[in-house]
């Protein structure tokens, strides 16, 4: 019975994820960045963004009753000598069980603080948060001390809509979506080629790159 409920929950989330076209995902990620920058008390400090080597941006849906499933899509983008790279598509998913009920959509922004974090997302495979890259909750607020050096390879920020207890990306496995990259760039392309700037960003990525600033 447990496996049946988990399968049904994950199947329903898979439909939600599949419905999101690549350009819709990019547009949503641009909107997420804009929303985070408009939260005065919990905004990502400008110094943190200026120092960032890259960002991973995702919306994750978690739903269930006793048995739960979560799934989400997003993009990772890196800073290059010529400005921001194009987006490389990522996704996460999983299930669980316990005393939990409800549904929640959580927007995540992961600030990649060093080149090693960008390389982890450039491999074209899976990245486990807290294992492949160290992670910590990022400083917030426009007045946060900008001189403080990063304490982790990745700073995580989240914004939730709905009711669900205990949302966290710690231990989450995030994988490169090769088919989405293929669809968006019109052919086979590697994640490291995208994030290094070797592969030119499509025009549709302009709103996201503008939202991130210089």
């Amino acid at each position: 019975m447990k496996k049946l409920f988990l399968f049904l929950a994950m199947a329903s989330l898979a439909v939600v994820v599949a419905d999101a076209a690549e350009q819709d995902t990019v547009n949503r990620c641009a909107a997420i960045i804009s929303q985070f920058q408009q939260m005065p008390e919990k905004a990502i400090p400008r110094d943190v963004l200026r120092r960032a080597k890259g960002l991973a941006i995702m919306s994750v849906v978690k739903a269930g009753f006793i048995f739960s499933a979560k799934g989400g899509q997003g993009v990772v983008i890196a800073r290059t000598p010529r400005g921001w790279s194009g987006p490389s598509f990522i996704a996460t998913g999983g299930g669980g069980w316990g005393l939990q009920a409800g549904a929640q959509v959580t927007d995540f922004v992961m600030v990649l603080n060093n080149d090693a974090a960008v390389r982890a997302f450039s491999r074209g495979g899976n990245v486990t948060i807290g294992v492949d890259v160290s992670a910590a909750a990022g400083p917030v607020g426009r007045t946060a001390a900008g001189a403080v050096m990063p304490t982790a390879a990745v700073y995580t920020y989240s914004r939730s809509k709905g009711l669900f207890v205990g949302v966290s990306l710690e231990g989450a496995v995030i994988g490169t979506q090769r088919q989405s990259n293929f669809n968006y760039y019109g052919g086979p392309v590697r994640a490291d080629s995208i994030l290094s700037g070797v592969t030119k960003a499509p025009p549709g990525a302009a709103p996201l790159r503008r939202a991130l600033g210089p």
Side-chain angles (χ1 to χ4, degrees):
M1 183 64 69
K2 171 185 170 183
K3 290 183 178 179
L4 175 60
F5 277 107
L6 183 57
F7 171 79
L8 292 174
M10 292 184 72
S12 64
L13 286 176
V15 172
V16 173
V17 171
D19 281 344
E22 285 78 19
Q23 187 59 55
D24 291 339
T25 298
V26 173
N27 293 344
R28 186 172 67 250
C29 289
I32 290 171
I33 288 295
S34 296
Q35 290 162 4
F36 269 87
Q37 292 173 334
Q38 294 169 8
M39 298 162 57
E41 299 303 319
K42 295 186 178 181
I44 303 174
R46 292 175 183 172
D47 282 347
V48 170
L49 287 176
R50 276 196 290 263
R51 292 174 177 171
K53 301 294 185 179
L55 292 98
I57 310 157
M58 301 184 70
S59 279
V60 176
V61 180
K62 186 174 183 180
F65 179 73
I66 306 301
F67 308 108
S68 69
K70 64 181 179 180
Q73 275 189 327
V75 302
V76 59
I77 189 168
R79 196 186 297 276
T80 78
R82 297 173 297 280
W84 291 102
S85 71
S88 178
F89 290 85
I90 53 176
T92 189
W97 71 288
L99 296 176
Q100 49 192 354
Q104 185 176 56
V105 178
T106 304
D107 296 330
F108 289 97
V109 174
M110 290 163 276
V111 178
L112 312 184
N113 288 317
N114 56 38
D115 293 330
V118 175
R119 286 196 297 271
F121 282 93
S122 299
R123 294 194 301 256
N126 294 332
V127 178
T128 303
I129 303 300
V131 177
D132 295 315
V133 291
S134 62
V140 297
R142 302 192 189 282
T143 60
V148 177
M149 295 301 293
T151 58
V154 174
Y155 278 156
T156 61
Y157 297 85
S158 64
R159 176 176 178 268
S160 296
K161 294 163 281 188
L163 296 174
F164 214 119
V165 177
V167 174
S168 172
L169 274 180
E170 190 74 18
V173 178
I174 300 173
T176 297
Q177 298 299 287
R178 295 185 180 90
Q179 185 60 51
S180 293
N181 283 342
F182 182 100
N183 295 343
Y184 196 63
Y185 289 88
V189 59
R190 293 160 50 106
D192 58 354
S193 177
I194 296 171
L195 297 179
S196 66
V198 171
T199 298
K200 186 178 179 181
L208 173 59
R209 298 169 77 202
R210 282 197 302 268
L212 293 172

